[in-house]
Amino acid sequence: MANTVIGSTIVIDGEISGEEDLTVLGTVKGRIGLREHIHVEPTGVIEANIETATITVEGTVTGDIHATERAELKSNCRVVGDIRAPRILIADGASFKGNVDMEG
Amino acid sequence: MATVTAGTCIIGPNIAVRGTVSGEEDLLVEGRVEGGISLAGHLTVADQGIVEANLEVESVVVMGEVVGDIDASQSVTIEPGARVTGNIRAPRVIIRDGAYFDGSVDMELSLPDHLLKGRR
Amino acid sequence: MPPSTTIGPTLHVRGRILGEEDLRIEGRVDGAIELSETLIVEESGIVVAEVQARDVVVRGIVVGNVTATDSVTLDAGAKLMGDIEAPRVILADGAAFKGSVKVTGAAPRPRARTSAGAKANRSRASAIPRVRAARPEAPVPEQDEPTVVVRRKDVQAAGRGETKAAKKAPPRPAPASAGKATKKKAAKKKVRPKVPSRKKRKVSRR
């Protein structure tokens, strides 16, 4: 199974593209374009516009999120940016600032 | 210790050669050679061997010290504890852990085309 | 226990990666990598970047200069085009490499036998003292003409016998302990200026 992990001390400044799941414990700045699942762990920080199939955020995301299937904001996450996805879940305790567009 | 096959010329530990050594058999250097070595065969620079020369050989195994450029038609092997200073050109180059090498290596290297764009 | 950082096989990163942990690359990275730990470029990995790390292990392709504070290892199948700077460089059989190697940091244990002096000052004359040192009681009279040229013809004709003869060739007169020191000095003086010119000729002829 293809699986990419960005560890907690890793900082990527640039563009990530691919066709596999991505788990972020570190920092990504720039742009992310994936066709699978992105999981932003509590330590994860993303300062980038994101395109993906599904995303689960437990950490921090600054940037617009476009998920073709589902976006889930867990409690204690911080998201600043617009979210566009057919299914959006925002848990109690999540911090979110931005617009929501559920037209997909 | 170096293996010596029949027909190996040996420059013993107390021999120093200055000039060009050329031949068509294997050569084992336990002493010292300064100048050049041109060999249609295998060269072994033994543990105590010191070669300050440009080498043109089929293959070479260095356990001692070489200062000079190495041009091998087959392979170059630098063993642990060996010291090589110079440029190497060979289809196969092996540098073992614990060897000292300072210089450049020129091996055949085929990269995918898309990587060569905008590169040397 | 967080899994170690991996850039998976379909992933393509364009930009800079910084980190303080091991990084395994199975996909592709274009840009730059700076790590304080170990970078592993797996068989499927392609790195087109300036690379800096403590240790670098390459099994895939790297195009760019690689600097390591500890070691650079090219395993079989590795392809590296670029210059290496590291205290330790290991090149396995089956690895392909084009570039230069610069050894940084403390030179790994200088060979005891190669005297430091001979290294620092690459005087050709150091050759003879070393040989002489092995037999201090026997000043070699051939010092005036120390060149032995083994021509292919000789080698073929005489084979092993010639070498043996050469080995025995320098006659060893009884030690003249009184005049030894002066003899040595004289020999050195004669030998020294001669050799560089000889070397030059050789190089230009090639």
Side-chain angles (χ1 to χ4, degrees):
Chain A
M1 188 202 72
N3 200 349
T4 291
V5 178
I6 310 295
S8 57
T9 74
I10 298 283
V11 178
I12 296 183
D13 193 344
E15 185 183 327
I16 300 178
S17 57
E19 292 167 17
E20 63 192 87
D21 293 350
L22 173 66
T23 303
V24 179
L25 295 94
T27 302
V28 178
K29 299 176 191 171
R31 208 184 77 79
I32 299 176
L34 286 187
R35 296 196 197 149
E36 304 293 328
H37 179 66
I38 298 176
H39 194 115
V40 184
E41 297 279 352
T43 58
V45 177
I46 294 183
E47 295 173 27
N49 292 338
I50 299 168
E51 287 199 36
T52 180
T54 61
I55 182 168
T56 303
V57 183
E58 293 182 81
T60 303
V61 174
T62 307
D64 298 340
I65 298 172
H66 178 200
T68 56
E69 291 172 25
R70 199 172 81 116
E72 182 175 2
L73 311 192
K74 297 274 204 183
S75 63
N76 297 323
C77 79
R78 289 175 47 83
V79 175
V80 179
D82 298 343
I83 301 178
R84 187 152 71 99
R87 290 169 62 209
I88 298 176
L89 293 81
I90 301 179
D92 189 13
S95 161
F96 168 56
K97 184 180 178 185
N99 297 315
V100 172
D101 178 352
M102 292 183 70
E103 283 175 25
Chain B
M1 201 50 223
T3 50
V4 178
T5 54
T8 298
C9 170
I10 302 171
I11 295 180
N14 296 313
I15 300 285
V17 176
R18 263 185 220 193
T20 302
V21 179
S22 56
E24 288 173 3
E25 63 180 352
D26 295 349
L27 174 66
L28 170 63
V29 177
E30 295 174 332
R32 195 165 179 117
V33 176
E34 296 177 17
I37 295 179
S38 172
L39 211 63
H42 177 74
L43 170 67
T44 306
V45 180
D47 217 17
Q48 324 82 28
I50 298 181
V51 174
E52 291 190 25
N54 293 333
L55 311 182
E56 261 182 70
V57 296
E58 274 179 13
S59 58
V60 56
V61 172
V62 182
M63 289 170 265
E65 180 166 354
V66 173
V67 178
D69 295 344
I70 302 176
D71 196 335
S73 60
Q74 289 171 10
S75 72
V76 175
T77 308
I78 307 176
E79 298 288 355
R83 293 181 67 90
V84 175
T85 308
N87 302 322
I88 296 178
R89 209 162 64 126
R92 284 169 63 210
V93 178
I94 298 141
I95 303 175
R96 309 248 194 242
D97 194 6
Y100 173 95
F101 170 68
D102 207 332
S104 75
V105 173
D106 189 353
M107 296 168 79
E108 266 182 43
L109 184 56
S110 57
L111 289 174
D113 288 343
H114 64 274
L115 288 182
L116 292 170
K117 273 184 273 167
R119 295 259 153 197
R120 301 172 210 196
Chain C
M1 161 77 196
S4 65
T5 295
T6 306
I7 305 292
T10 75
L11 220 66
H12 190 162
V13 176
R14 295 177 197 81
R16 174 179 292 266
I17 301 181
L18 310 174
E20 290 167 13
E21 63 189 73
D22 293 352
L23 173 61
R24 180 183 302 274
I25 295 177
E26 296 166 351
R28 176 160 177 184
V29 176
D30 288 50
I33 298 174
E34 276 177 52
L35 281 192
S36 59
E37 304 295 323
T38 302
L39 171 71
I40 301 175
V41 181
E42 296 287 3
E43 283 103 301
S44 58
I46 298 176
V47 172
V48 182
E50 298 292 303
V51 174
Q52 265 186 290
R54 191 193 59 210
D55 294 280
V56 178
V57 178
V58 181
R59 304 186 183 114
I61 297 174
V62 174
V63 179
N65 299 330
V66 177
T67 305
T69 54
D70 188 355
S71 71
V72 174
T73 305
L74 305 191
D75 282 345
K79 294 179 178 183
L80 171 58
M81 186 182 273
D83 297 340
I84 298 176
E85 272 189 41
R88 283 166 62 214
V89 176
I90 299 139
L91 198 52
D93 195 4
F97 168 46
K98 199 171 265 199
S100 71
V101 174
K102 192 174 161 202
V103 180
T104 53
R109 23 183 170 129
R111 297 171 66 71
R113 189 189 35 74
T114 316
S115 67
K119 272 271 76 195
N121 145 40
R122 230 174 258 143
S123 142
R124 305 291 162 188
S126 62
I128 302 309
R130 194 184 73 83
V131 174
R132 211 196 289 124
R135 295 175 204 277
E137 77 292 347
V140 183
E142 262 79 2
Q143 271 159 0
D144 284 349
E145 194 45 272
T147 303
V148 179
V149 179
V150 184
R151 292 285 176 209
R152 186 166 301 176
K153 224 177 13 179
D154 305 336
V155 172
Q156 277 175 330
R160 207 44 213 279
E162 176 65 26
T163 0
K164 271 183 189 157
K167 229 174 178 175
K168 285 174 191 157
R172 296 188 191 94
S177 48
K180 200 163 79 176
T182 45
K183 253 189 197 169
K184 264 187 193 173
K185 263 183 196 165
K188 262 187 190 167
K189 259 182 205 160
K190 269 186 190 168
V191 167
R192 205 173 265 143
K194 214 174 174 179
V195 175
S197 65
R198 175 174 290 281
K199 169 89 177 177
K200 255 181 219 157
R201 270 211 315 273
K202 287 261 143 51
V203 171
S204 61
R205 208 173 55 190
R206 286 171 63 84

